[in-house]
Amino acid sequence: MTTKRRKPASPEAPISRIYEVRNAARLQDLCGPHHRHLQILETKLADFGLRAESQGGGILLIGTAEGVSIAEATLAELERRIRSGTDANDMEVEGALEAAQTPGQTFGGLVGLKKPIKPQTRGQAKYLELLANTDNALVFGVGPAGTGKTFLAVAAGVAELTTGLRQRLIVTRPAVEAGEKLGFLPGTLEEKVDPYMLPIWDALRDLMGQEQMERRMARGEIEVAPLAFMRGRTLKNAFVIVDEAQNTTVSQMKMVLTRLGRDSRMVVTGDPGQVDLPGSQPSGMKHALRILEDVDGINAHYLTAADVVRHGLVSRIIDAYAAAGEG
């Protein structure tokens, strides 16, 4: 995960403050092995002249007023995560730093969820604002793996379902994955496709619990199905998520976009850098983003490697592939 640096408008006299930590074990976790976490802070906030040193009972922070404030907020967020049972590691330090610089860490726009949704980056915060605005009937969430584009879309759908704003939550995705052919897998079509839907099931369980998920599925309020099942239908009063949309063909994308019925919303998520369509077929998502760019009522939000909230190495891998001209 990368953090954008902002330079102070003019040189400032450095200030110093101590971030107090009364628990010795907690102080060690915050500093990291061989003070590695403090070194990360110093590197990320170097433009603010930040220095961070462990002292008895706290961490001494020296730098510009803004740099020290950001460092304090980062340590407070990291300490909150440690208290909640999260392991203190490099990824969490970088996530805490990004969260400290993201306005409104706890996002209040989605209600009815098992747990509150907290954007971890500025990009996620903007994406959630689009999802929470019910006037946005069609939203494209575009970005690399690990940016939360699908999970946050599912969260918005669950919130609208549980609060009664929509009658159904429908999640669909094309059955094309990394060149594998479903015909060679055993079982019925549903059994073949189900493993590809695991990320969706995981998100639903996390956001509403196993019992409520199963109850609503039994009532037909939640449907998770391959894209082929959408043909010929009109999806009314539903929150529709089209996941892995980079693997739709142009005709499939047109088909699913035109399924949108009265009182419905649709979120289309995907990573144009990971198209698995066979041969030289163009991606329906790429095509749609191009031709719908100026159409009124359609919103597209682009997440980047800076919004990756998986292992810190993932964003650097994405950047390396991009630099090589792949993705």
Side-chain angles (χ1 to χ4, degrees):
M1 180 181 296
T2 57
T3 302
K4 294 180 180 178
R5 297 177 179 176
R6 296 168 294 156
K7 292 186 177 181
S10 58
E12 298 178 30
I15 66 168
S16 64
R17 280 205 290 266
I18 292 180
Y19 181 85
E20 293 186 3
V21 186
R22 300 185 183 280
N23 183 295
R26 181 74 44 73
L27 178 60
Q28 187 174 357
D29 286 340
L30 286 172
C31 292
H34 308 293
H35 291 184
R36 176 167 174 77
H37 297 166
L38 300 186
Q39 292 168 11
I40 292 174
L41 268 183
E42 290 181 340
T43 301
K44 296 292 185 180
L45 299 176
D47 288 332
F48 299 98
L50 185 80
R51 284 169 43 214
E53 302 173 2
S54 175
Q55 292 196 344
I59 297 170
L60 175 64
L61 301 170
I62 303 172
T64 66
E66 185 176 3
V68 168
S69 293
I70 293 173
E72 284 182 316
T74 301
L75 291 170
E77 171 64 13
L78 181 60
E79 187 171 11
R80 184 197 65 77
R81 295 182 182 200
I82 293 170
R83 280 188 180 132
S84 68
T86 302
D87 291 333
N89 54 42
D90 293 3
M91 181 178 67
E92 290 300 330
V93 175
E94 295 187 3
L97 177 59
E98 185 68 37
Q101 299 180 86
T102 301
Q105 290 178 36
T106 301
F107 184 79
L110 302 180
V111 295
L113 303 177
K114 185 180 176 183
K115 62 181 184 181
I117 293 299
K118 298 175 65 177
Q120 299 297 307
T121 69
R122 294 184 190 87
Q124 286 189 355
K126 292 177 181 176
Y127 182 43
L128 269 172
E129 287 176 10
L130 282 176
L131 295 176
N133 186 345
T134 57
D135 291 334
N136 295 328
L138 178 57
V139 175
F140 283 86
V142 188
T147 51
K149 56 188 181 295
T150 299
F151 181 83
L152 297 176
V154 174
V158 168
E160 294 201 3
L161 177 66
T162 55
T163 57
L165 195 56
R166 312 289 164 195
Q167 292 179 354
R168 290 183 296 162
L169 170 59
I170 299 172
V171 187
T172 184
R173 64 192 301 186
V176 178
E177 293 290 340
E180 298 172 9
K181 297 186 181 299
L182 292 175
F184 291 100
L185 297 175
T188 64
L189 177 59
E190 290 85 350
E191 290 169 336
K192 291 176 181 180
V193 170
D194 192 61
Y196 295 99
M197 302 296 184
L198 283 177
I200 307 300
W201 299 127
D202 290 343
L204 289 170
R205 289 188 190 96
D206 199 27
L207 291 162
M208 64 191 331
Q210 179 78 23
E211 185 179 342
Q212 184 178 179
M213 181 187 77
E214 291 178 353
R215 187 170 63 249
R216 289 183 180 274
M217 284 183 62
R219 294 202 298 251
E221 296 176 9
I222 295 177
E223 180 181 349
V224 180
L227 193 64
F229 285 25
M230 300 298 112
R231 192 173 298 278
R233 300 175 61 182
T234 301
L235 307 174
K236 298 178 181 177
N237 206 338
F239 192 103
V240 185
I241 299 171
V242 184
D243 191 34
E244 296 290 341
Q246 77 275 3
N247 288 328
T248 60
T249 63
V250 172
S251 60
Q252 284 175 330
M253 179 57 73
K254 179 182 177 182
M255 177 273 292
V256 74
L257 291 177
T258 55
R259 299 307 92 199
L260 195 62
R262 185 174 297 169
D263 298 321
S264 288
R265 296 183 68 200
M266 183 178 289
V267 181
V268 180
T269 65
D271 176 8
Q274 290 190 350
V275 177
D276 298 314
L277 289 168
S280 57
Q281 291 187 75
S283 164
M285 182 179 198
K286 289 183 179 181
H287 178 263
L289 286 167
R290 185 175 69 252
I291 68 169
L292 300 177
E293 184 177 7
D294 298 321
V295 175
D296 240 8
I298 296 177
N299 295 274
H301 183 70
Y302 292 81
L303 296 153
T304 70
D307 300 302
V308 172
V309 291
R310 292 180 179 172
H311 193 286
L313 187 59
V314 174
S315 61
R316 297 195 287 277
I317 291 171
I318 293 167
D319 287 338
Y321 272 90
E326 300 182 33

